Amino acid sequence: KGEDRDTTDWEMVRTRIFAEAEYTKYFYLHFRFNVAGDGSTDLIVSYIQIKPREGLHFRIGRQFIALTREDWMYPQDVMTMDFSAHDSLFGIGTSNAIQMRRTWNHDRLWACFSDGAFGGGRGFGDQSQGEWALTSRYEHQFWTEDWSIWDDLVGRRNRPRGLLFGCAAHYQEGGSESQTRWGVLGTADLSYNWDGGQAMVWASYVRGDSREEGEVDYYGITAQAGQFVTCTIQLYGRYEYVNPGSREGDLQDYHAALVGVNWYPFQWTNRYKMTAEGGYLFAPLSKTIVPSGTNVGFAPADEGDQFYLRFQMQFGF
């Protein structure tokens, strides 16, 4: 609901086609095509992975960058119906990059050189052109040495208890056509997994030099949790807050809360899922700094709060 108007819509949010090939355990190729709801197509992932030894690999090509924990998840592996508004604003998507990951029993470290947010096609919160970027992420897990429990945000049953701390930093410089001369992004997250559930809280902060606004900063924090009440039915909730900081204009804080229920027909895979979700936004979306074109469930509006109820069916094969 926006400006006392009710709207209904149906949308095919995304279709993704995967192509993978493994040449011995040392070389791996991955291609991923995305078909958006408007019919446009994009090769969002195309990289080769080289694994010289156990616990160490390098990826070269277009890929997701390890920054926020949610950003590089497959859509099937997020807890809610879709990615958060937090991720749409602070995540950097896929970039052309060289990325290294080193894994130990309790620690993981990424280091990356890339062409920036969304392959240089988007800066921090605007449609600018990046030039180059450096990114690094570190994680430490407590009480377990099983990294597989952090491969999704779902928190299935029969998984061990664990606590994960992660932090990351990203520095990006824009080219001559960019509206952002430079930008720094920092983020930290804490995740707790138990038998049948998972919870996560994460915060992000951006500071940058814009050619239009000068030096600006803004930040956000999000918390979510989910619990399986049966082997296949999960209840979840999430709260998001984004502060526009020193961004110019008549801007308001983004406050949003949602609750939902997932049904997974099969216990061994996240590829098949049916979801019902309701959300409430406490401020007009168009007066926040969250991009209105993202699939957060709320319609662009200049006044009034909003409520949505939506349903989704997801499948893969």
Side-chain angles (χ1 to χ4, degrees):
K1 183 180 178 183
E3 299 179 349
D4 296 325
R5 294 195 306 267
D6 295 329
T7 61
T8 59
D9 193 14
W10 181 90
E11 182 181 9
M12 180 77 73
V13 177
R14 68 176 64 86
T15 302
R16 291 187 175 176
I17 303 171
F18 294 75
E20 302 172 81
E22 186 172 10
Y23 298 93
T24 76
K25 64 180 181 179
Y26 302 105
F27 297 94
Y28 168 77
L29 295 173
H30 187 114
F31 299 91
R32 200 180 315 170
F33 299 87
N34 184 72
V35 182
D38 60 3
S40 60
T41 61
D42 185 24
L43 178 62
I44 59 173
V45 171
S46 58
Y47 66 79
I48 181 173
Q49 177 175 293
I50 303 171
K51 186 179 178 182
R53 60 190 177 91
E54 194 65 34
L56 175 66
H57 73 230
F58 297 88
R59 289 182 177 177
I60 304 170
R62 191 166 184 84
Q63 58 190 288
F64 281 93
I65 308 302
L67 186 63
T68 64
R69 182 165 174 248
E70 183 187 27
D71 196 39
W72 76 77
M73 291 288 166
Y74 292 126
Q76 68 191 34
D77 293 328
V78 298
M79 179 180 294
T80 56
M81 183 173 289
D82 212 319
F83 294 93
S84 65
H86 189 132
D87 178 69
S88 71
L89 186 64
F90 296 99
I92 63 174
T94 61
S95 301
N96 303 305
I98 301 175
Q99 184 167 215
M100 178 275 293
R101 187 183 77 181
R102 181 73 172 92
T103 304
W104 298 270
N105 291 337
H106 292 277
D107 302 274
R108 291 197 296 198
L109 177 67
W110 289 262
C112 178
F113 177 79
S114 72
D115 57 0
F118 288 84
R122 199 178 93 181
F124 298 121
D126 57 42
Q127 298 299 318
S128 57
Q129 294 297 316
E131 190 169 65
W132 63 269
L134 294 173
T135 310
S136 183
R137 177 175 172 87
Y138 167 75
E139 292 180 346
H140 179 81
Q141 63 175 346
F142 301 85
W143 310 324
T144 180
E145 295 183 359
D146 184 2
W147 284 105
S148 68
I149 66 175
W150 311 114
D151 288 343
D152 62 38
L153 306 179
V154 174
R156 289 280 195 164
R157 287 187 170 183
N158 301 316
R159 291 183 179 178
R161 180 174 65 103
L163 182 69
L164 179 73
F165 168 75
C167 59
H170 176 85
Y171 176 81
Q172 178 171 321
E173 287 198 358
S176 59
E177 299 179 359
S178 174
Q179 293 298 317
T180 303
R181 292 187 179 93
W182 59 266
V184 177
L185 189 154
T187 185
D189 51 84
L190 190 66
S191 304
Y192 177 58
N193 189 89
W194 64 94
D195 183 6
Q198 191 171 131
M200 180 173 67
V201 58
W202 68 108
S204 302
Y205 172 80
V206 164
R207 185 170 184 84
D209 184 6
S210 168
R211 299 182 192 274
E212 294 182 354
E213 302 181 53
E215 289 197 15
V216 297
D217 65 346
Y218 49 94
Y219 60 91
I221 184 168
T222 300
Q224 69 179 34
Q227 173 69 52
F228 277 88
V229 293
T230 72
C231 292
T232 58
I233 297 177
Q234 179 192 45
L235 303 178
Y236 65 82
R238 181 167 71 195
Y239 171 77
E240 296 186 73
Y241 171 76
V242 175
N243 188 296
S246 60
R247 297 288 298 272
E248 293 182 351
D250 181 21
L251 298 172
Q252 299 183 26
D253 296 344
Y254 180 94
H255 288 278
L258 62 85
V259 294
V261 55
N262 290 320
W263 175 53
Y264 298 88
F266 307 108
Q267 298 182 40
W268 58 86
T269 180
N270 297 336
R271 291 182 177 180
Y272 303 88
K273 179 172 72 172
M274 297 188 69
T275 305
E277 183 180 277
Y280 188 81
L281 178 64
F282 297 84
L285 181 63
S286 300
K287 290 191 175 182
T288 71
I289 61 174
V290 172
S292 59
T294 55
N295 190 39
V296 294
F298 301 108
D302 294 326
E303 61 182 56
D305 49 4
Q306 288 188 50
F307 169 80
Y308 74 72
L309 180 64
R310 55 181 179 168
F311 305 90
Q312 178 175 278
M313 181 178 65
Q314 176 181 281
F315 61 92
F317 50 87

